[in-house]
Amino acid sequence: MNNRLPYTLTMSVLSLIILIPSIYLIFNHNTTNEKTLILLESSSTLINETELLLLKLINCDNHPCLKNKKQIDSLHKQLNSFLNTASIDKNLVSLVGATEYSKLTLIINKFIATGTEQKIIKELTPILIEMKNSHLNIIKNQNKKNSNNQLRDNIITALLVIILTILLIVAVYIIESKKNKQNKQINNKEQGIEKLLSVIGDLNSNYAKSILNDLNLSKEERTIYSKLKKLNDKIEESERNTDLSRQLYSMIGYEMRGISNTIKGGIHLLIKEKEEDEKLTNLARDLEIATETLSNLAENYNKLFSQGLKQKTENYSFIKLLTEIIVHISNKGNESELNIECIIHNNLPNELMGNPTKLFWILFLQLSNAISAQNKDNILIDINSHSSDDVSGSVIVITLIFLTTLDISENKINHLHWEQSKRGTVKNDEWTISLLDNINTFNTEWYKSGQQQKFSIKMGVTPISYTKESPLLKNKFFLICADSEIRISIISKLLISHGAKVKVSREANEIFKSISKISLYDAIIMTDTVKGIQLTSFCKTLHERIPDDGHTKLLLAVSSNQVVKSAIQYVNQVFYTPLIPDDFIPQLVKAVEDEESNDEIKHQFLIVEDDRIQQFILKKILQQAEYETDIVNGGLEAVNWVKNNTTDIIFMDCIMPGMGGLQATELIRQYEKENNIQPISTIIGATALTSKSEHQACLEAGMNYVISKPYNSDEILKSIKRYIHIHNKRGS
């Protein structure tokens, strides 16, 4: 029986090797036929619907013949069904160049829009003929393909039978020739194998170690058990890592599902409560935040998943990683209407060595879970650092403080009596430290002081470099108008640490009392925490009293987009809390140094886009920014338009039917060069493809910049601002 087992196993494997290609061919052939039948059925139904409509119109003497749109709607639905079916597998039928379906769509849309029947008979007749020809071509091509496939399958089957026969003969010869040798080897090793089997069943690292300590082991046995121990150690380590990885991926998936559920629920509510404008505005903000967070987290998750648990270490900026985490935390807070402030001390390490993707997820999940575990609406994030016992090391302390109010001084928070608290959540600090690279220690604790709660993360790290404060705001003077103690403290310390002078006004009237000296300030920073004022009216009045020289700027620091909806027209710039130094300070420097522009030049834009929905979205974005816009539907139209008009920026869809965006860009650049046009148009490519090679092809064709679809308002306006100054000469 033992001698026949290898023979039987070999025969089974060889049979499978032969059968798998045959099964694949049969399955693939049947699947293709099924798809083709569905496509033919959809095509036939579409032709019948079109023919019935045409016959009804021909036999009708009194107009209107179509007293309702039921038959038109049915035709429209069947057309969409056919197009969707055809797009599933473009090998069955190609819609490229098949203009009859787009013409049919145009006729249907024209009738729906105008209700005119006079021209529809003349227009439908040639289209119906073309559709029938296309239907016959599909049948013809499939019959030919089936014939070729059948011949191919027969040849392959014959070859496989021949190969199988040869392999069986060879296998029988090899097995029989080795049978005697194997019998001898098996008899000699049976006793040793039985002994090993009795041990392997209970083998673990400690048991294997105790066996190796036996001095009576032979050299061969010691070698075998030593290798078994190493193998067992690797298996145990792999099982631990697999379990840790599964837990981490499960937690990440949970976070993503929560965000996606927010989006789905919001969309359903938009449909259900479309008449409630204010609620829709708030919901749109939530959806935007959730979508952006999900997009960023998905990208980060893909990095983590592709790396797995490999020990991939690199130098990375801890400050930038921290900024990204806080942005995501604040986005989650906005969804739950939490009030979040942040204090980031200037003694933090700037650069660390390790795996930033893993550290991001560990910190993000720990902080998110802590926020979900409490019921306070006011959260202060405090991030500090101090030296460790290791001379070259540091301890980073990230603290979430859950307060009953944010109108409290930082000094009072620091002097609260905090006692360690057990919250019933399971600590996984050992699990966490096993996942992280170059993190010496990791500890989490909960504390309590009266009704206040605190969650703390302490990490031991070895910094490569520290942050260096630069006086970016030297000689700048700011007036802060706020009555929240913690926000006053945060903004003041941020500005002073970068070289600025600060004056604080806790009441709005104090500003108007010193209105004659208002030009002394580079900027007035208003917050939405000042009580007793209507923010929009106050900003409008203050805006009117600020001198027109553009020196003193009016800035807003707010926690919600809703707060500034009506006040934004009276301020120079809006900042959203929590204020993160790495993000807030560069924006503030730019805001106070930007000179007011009196340029009244009206810039002309051209949209080159074949998708009408994308046309509408992009035009709406530009119209809201008060830019004049023209639209063409394809590359050739764009080239002809440029030859007869001037434009500052062209938004060019990269992939379009007929002449695509790359070829159109090359022709536009050639025309500008031959006619010595200066300055040349800025061409911004738009594509749904995200690979570097695709973007590089756009730039090589002559585009200045490439943005990704779907169109994003912030990205578009930033790209416009980046290039618009080139074209101001045209209006001077």
Side-chain angles (χ1 to χ4, degrees), residues 456-706:
S456 176
I457 298 176
K458 295 181 180 179
M459 295 190 304
V461 300
T462 303
I464 297 175
S465 65
Y466 283 86
T467 57
K468 294 181 180 179
E469 293 296 336
S470 54
L472 297 176
L473 297 173
K474 187 177 181 180
N475 299 325
K476 302 296 182 184
F477 193 11
F478 294 91
L479 175 62
I480 302 172
C481 187
D483 59 6
S484 166
E485 290 291 338
I486 195 67
R487 190 171 290 186
I488 290 172
S489 175
I490 291 171
I491 298 176
S492 299
K493 286 185 176 181
L494 267 177
L495 300 181
I496 293 171
S497 67
H498 286 82
K501 293 192 299 179
V502 171
K503 182 179 178 180
V504 177
S505 173
R506 287 176 168 79
E507 294 182 4
N509 289 334
E510 291 182 18
I511 298 178
F512 293 117
K513 289 179 182 178
S514 58
I515 199 71
S516 59
K517 299 180 181 179
I518 206 165
S519 59
L520 296 175
Y521 303 107
D522 292 277
I524 301 169
I525 302 179
M526 286 288 304
T527 74
D528 57 351
T529 63
V530 181
K531 298 180 181 66
I533 67 168
Q534 206 286 325
L535 188 63
T536 301
S537 299
F538 183 82
C539 289
K540 180 181 179 181
T541 303
L542 190 57
H543 173 76
E544 292 171 349
R545 299 193 184 186
I546 293 176
D548 295 331
D549 57 7
H551 169 69
T552 304
K553 305 296 191 302
L554 180 57
L555 312 175
L556 275 180
V558 298
S559 56
S560 169
N561 187 55
Q562 282 300 105
V563 176
V564 300
K565 185 170 62 173
S566 55
I568 193 169
Q569 57 184 314
Y570 305 114
V571 300
N572 296 92
Q573 189 160 340
V574 177
F575 302 97
Y576 292 97
T577 58
L579 300 176
I580 306 169
D582 197 49
D583 176 62
F584 171 64
I585 295 300
Q587 288 191 59
L588 181 61
V589 171
K590 189 174 184 304
V592 297
E593 291 183 352
D594 275 355
E595 295 296 331
E596 293 291 331
S597 175
N598 294 320
D599 192 0
E600 296 296 334
I601 298 174
K602 289 188 177 181
H603 298 283
Q604 181 67 43
F605 295 165
L606 176 65
I607 297 173
V608 187
E609 172 66 69
D610 65 309
D611 189 316
R612 294 188 182 278
I613 295 177
Q614 298 298 329
Q615 286 179 3
F616 174 80
I617 293 173
L618 183 52
K619 185 172 183 178
K620 196 73 174 176
I621 292 171
L622 297 176
Q623 283 180 337
Q624 289 175 347
E626 299 183 354
Y627 291 122
E628 295 182 1
T629 306
D630 285 319
I631 298 176
V632 295
N633 298 311
L636 182 59
E637 291 182 51
V639 175
N640 293 331
W641 192 96
V642 169
K643 290 180 179 180
N644 298 296
N645 303 274
T646 58
T647 185
D648 298 311
I649 295 181
I650 302 173
F651 287 92
M652 180 75 72
D653 186 12
C654 295
I655 301 176
M656 295 179 289
M659 183 183 291
L662 273 65
Q663 185 181 358
T665 299
E666 292 173 349
L667 293 176
I668 290 172
R669 293 303 186 215
Q670 180 182 346
Y671 172 78
E672 290 173 334
K673 182 178 180 180
E674 291 173 353
N675 292 273
N676 196 28
I677 296 175
Q678 292 294 333
I680 62 174
S681 301
T682 295
I683 301 179
I684 299 176
T687 177
L689 304 174
T690 58
S691 68
K692 291 183 179 179
S693 61
E694 298 293 344
H695 283 217
Q696 185 62 33
C698 294
L699 298 176
E700 290 175 355
M703 296 181 186
N704 301 85
Y705 189 61
V706 183

Side-chain angles (χ1 to χ4, degrees), residues 171 199 216 276 321 380 391 396 405 434 552 601 613 632 658 663:
V199 174
N216 296 322
E276 300 181 24
L321 181 142
L380 175 63
V391 176
I396 298 172
T405 177
S434 69
T552 304
I601 298 174
I613 295 177
V632 295
Q663 185 181 358

